[in-house]
Amino acid sequence: MRHSYHGMNRNGNAGTLLYVHGNPAGAYRDSKDCMTVADLTELFVQAKISFDEALQIVQQKTIVYAPDATMQAMLSDRQGRTLIVEPGIGWREAVGRFSLITNYSVLAPESTRPFIVPGDDRYERAAKLLNSYGEHFTVADAFSVLRAVRQEGIWATRVSFVYSAKEHAVYYVRNNAFSQIEKYEFPQF
């Protein structure tokens, strides 16, 4: 079963947890030297830790799955820094025009290749589309990419969102209703 969890706070910190096919190296362990990817993401979205603190945690602790759930995460901040965390595989910090995560491993694709469903090329299509845009990438452009790679059917995309740092706002679409883009503006502080 694949589901996802998304969260964003008024500081512009966003976290996404995707359920994935697990690997034994990321199995849950109750140890002071370990932290679950779910706890790391929750602390970040709740603004209890900063991006730099999340980065320090992945450098110092073994990141594992939550009990009975195999997930990987992408954390990002207002400055565009991104941290991809795959329990049992590793992590990668990125700064760039965009970052992508998928239900398969980005850090070690060969480890999840046996689980890829024929025709599931959404990650590759999204990367190609994102690379085709010039310097000025708009909210509308982001939604055109999200619409092009949305899932339908039993695993349909439930929410697609775009954060605008310039506007300090989140635009979002529920249940693939791309004609009904909603906006939430974070209060100024």
Side-chain angles (χ1 to χ4, degrees):
M1 185 178 250
R2 296 183 309 180
H3 295 287
S4 61
Y5 161 83
H6 309 281
M8 183 170 284
N9 66 30
R10 67 183 183 164
N11 298 328
N13 291 355
T16 299
L17 278 172
L18 292 178
Y19 283 85
V20 296
H21 294 284
N23 67 68
Y28 174 76
R29 294 188 296 277
D30 186 12
S31 166
K32 64 180 176 68
D33 298 327
C34 296
M35 176 179 270
T36 70
V37 69
D39 288 342
L40 176 69
T41 303
E42 188 72 21
L43 289 171
F44 184 70
V45 171
Q46 289 182 2
K48 292 181 178 177
I49 61 172
S50 68
F51 185 91
D52 292 322
E53 289 168 321
L55 183 58
Q56 187 175 24
I57 289 168
V58 299
Q59 291 170 341
Q60 295 175 351
K61 291 188 177 269
T62 300
I63 305 302
V64 296
Y65 299 124
D68 301 321
T70 55
M71 301 174 278
Q72 58 194 31
M74 181 186 328
L75 310 178
S76 61
D77 70 4
R78 184 186 261 188
Q79 287 74 43
R81 298 182 301 169
T82 302
L83 182 61
I84 295 173
V85 183
E86 296 181 4
I89 295 174
W91 57 273
R92 177 175 73 200
E93 179 185 12
V95 177
R97 291 185 58 219
F98 63 85
S99 291
L100 295 172
I101 191 170
T102 181
N103 294 95
Y104 308 111
S105 176
V106 174
L107 304 178
E110 67 286 347
S111 69
T112 53
R113 194 170 319 280
F115 304 106
I116 295 175
V117 179
D120 190 357
D121 63 346
R122 293 179 318 114
Y123 179 87
E124 292 78 7
R125 286 186 293 130
K128 185 176 179 180
L129 286 167
L130 287 165
N131 280 320
S132 73
Y133 285 96
E135 290 298 313
H136 301 289
F137 188 70
T138 67
V139 169
D141 295 336
F143 276 113
S144 70
V145 172
L146 291 169
R147 184 173 189 210
V149 299
R150 71 191 180 278
Q151 285 185 214
E152 297 181 298
I154 192 168
W155 300 114
T157 302
R158 300 294 177 221
V159 64
S160 299
F161 65 91
V162 175
Y163 175 70
S164 170
K166 180 180 175 183
E167 297 177 50
H168 198 52
V170 174
Y171 292 85
Y172 59 98
V173 166
R174 294 183 235 195
N175 298 314
N176 287 328
F178 284 90
S179 62
Q180 300 170 13
I181 297 173
E182 299 178 62
K183 180 180 179 181
Y184 176 82
E185 291 186 55
F186 289 97
Q188 298 298 319
F189 53 99

